[in-house]
Amino acid sequence: KDAVEISVKDIDQLAKSSFPLCMRHMLDKLRENHHLKHGGRMQFGLFLKGAGLKLEDALAFWRAEFSQKVGSERFDKEYAYSIRHNYGKEGKRTDYTPYSCQKIISATPGVGDHHGCPYRHFGEENLRAALNKMGVSGHTLEEIMDKVKNRHYQLACTLTFEATHGVSCDSGINHPNQYFSESQKVLRA
Ligand code: SF4
């Protein structure tokens, strides 16, 4: 089991260097709207847990954003429970597992939702812009868009990983937390 811990103050930097596009997007939207709907809170919250964010830090992280929108009292009343729940501290005490790519790709985000896989759920222009922002362009970008057109979303994500890290990823990307840990391995080497 991975014993790496991350702290709240590192999240933005880690997002830039090591989060896959799906999770960068949700962090951007959370910072922008100070809110994420249920599907986003689950997908992103469980990812952060898997990346090593401890429960107390997770509560502080979500409270800091949500309290700007709904106030900290309402956060504590309506939202803190579900975060503790993700960590198995409420309800059936199930320790929820972070979602795999397969599960995220098969999600059906509605209007105002930001979860899902950008390779699958973004329109072409938005995806191109998001990849540009990660520093991907030219021939590599076209190769990625080609994988997307052929519905090979995880291959598109793998190519993005390779382009942004300058290494090959032979195993391929199949889990956002795998993307994160492979990235950290490369960057800490
Ligand atoms: Fe996230 Fe997986 Fe989609 Fe990559 S392929 S953006 S890790 S869901």
Side-chain angles (χ1 to χ4, degrees):
K1 212 178 162 162
D2 212 334
V4 172
E5 278 187 36
I6 66 171
S7 60
V8 176
K9 64 172 175 28
D10 300 329
I11 290 177
D12 291 281
Q13 191 49 49
L14 287 169
K16 269 198 209 109
S17 65
S18 297
F19 284 13
L21 185 52
C22 53
M23 302 304 172
R24 286 168 196 251
H25 177 60
M26 277 193 293
L27 179 61
D28 284 349
K29 287 298 166 185
L30 176 63
R31 295 284 193 224
E32 185 182 320
N33 302 328
H34 312 301
H35 191 271
L36 278 181
K37 290 186 165 188
H38 178 74
R41 296 198 302 274
M42 291 296 290
Q43 182 180 313
F44 191 38
L46 289 171
F47 167 78
L48 290 173
K49 180 178 87 163
L53 191 68
K54 296 285 162 260
L55 173 61
E56 285 313 310
D57 286 349
L59 285 167
F61 170 73
W62 292 98
R63 184 185 286 116
E65 286 300 336
F66 269 61
S67 59
Q68 295 177 55
K69 175 95 173 181
V70 302
S72 46
E73 241 174 78
R74 221 183 117 195
F75 173 84
D76 290 337
K77 252 193 232 145
E78 292 176 29
Y79 297 99
Y81 176 92
S82 72
I83 290 156
R84 285 197 297 271
H85 193 86
N86 276 354
Y87 281 75
K89 303 293 183 203
E90 298 281 1
K92 283 184 292 171
R93 297 184 179 265
T94 315
D95 207 358
Y96 283 99
T97 307
Y99 296 172
S100 67
C101 292
Q102 212 180 3
K103 184 173 169 106
I104 292 171
I105 287 168
S106 61
T108 51
V111 177
D113 276 327
H114 300 294
H115 64 282
C117 173
Y119 299 96
R120 164 78 179 85
H121 296 111
F122 276 19
E124 183 175 341
E125 287 316 305
N126 278 346
L127 182 56
R128 283 178 179 275
L131 289 167
N132 274 158
K133 225 173 117 187
M134 290 176 77
V136 180
S137 60
H139 175 69
T140 312
L141 177 59
E142 297 315 316
E143 239 184 303
I144 292 169
M145 297 310 294
D146 200 58
K147 296 287 182 227
V148 169
K149 270 181 208 121
N150 290 303
R151 300 174 166 271
H152 296 310
Y153 308 115
Q154 289 172 225
L155 283 179
C157 190
T158 305
L159 286 181
T160 305
F161 181 96
E162 292 181 338
T164 52
H165 291 77
V167 297
S168 67
C169 177
D170 298 331
S171 56
I173 296 300
N174 53 56
H175 199 293
N177 288 97
Q178 173 223 357
Y179 186 112
F180 177 73
S181 57
E182 303 258 348
S183 168
Q184 287 288 288
K185 243 187 269 166
V186 173
L187 297 175
R188 283 160 190 268

